[in-house]
Amino acid sequence: MKMFILGTLTAIVIATGMGIVMSNYLTNPAYDAFSAPSARVGEESTAEHRFGEQAN
């Protein structure tokens, strides 16, 4: 029983610590974190915009 309580407290401490660290240091939104300068995002990258009626 002593080891179960110790394991539970360890998991709580680790989860709390990681929650604090992640909320303070990993705050980039997804569109910043997963974007590249060469990614084409917007209307100009759609097939309809580039090819007109031929895209359909």
Side-chain angles (χ1 to χ4, degrees):
M1 185 68 171
K2 184 178 177 181
M3 293 305 287
F4 177 76
I5 294 172
L6 182 63
T8 304
L9 288 175
T10 302
I12 291 171
V13 168
I14 291 172
T16 304
M18 288 308 297
I20 292 169
V21 168
M22 290 176 71
S23 67
N24 288 334
Y25 296 109
L26 302 175
T27 57
N28 290 349
Y31 58 83
D32 280 342
F34 298 107
S35 66
S38 62
R40 293 186 283 175
V41 179
E43 181 185 345
E44 61 274 355
S45 66
T46 62
E48 290 84 13
H49 181 75
R50 289 187 283 151
F51 301 115
E53 293 297 321
Q54 295 175 353
N56 298 327

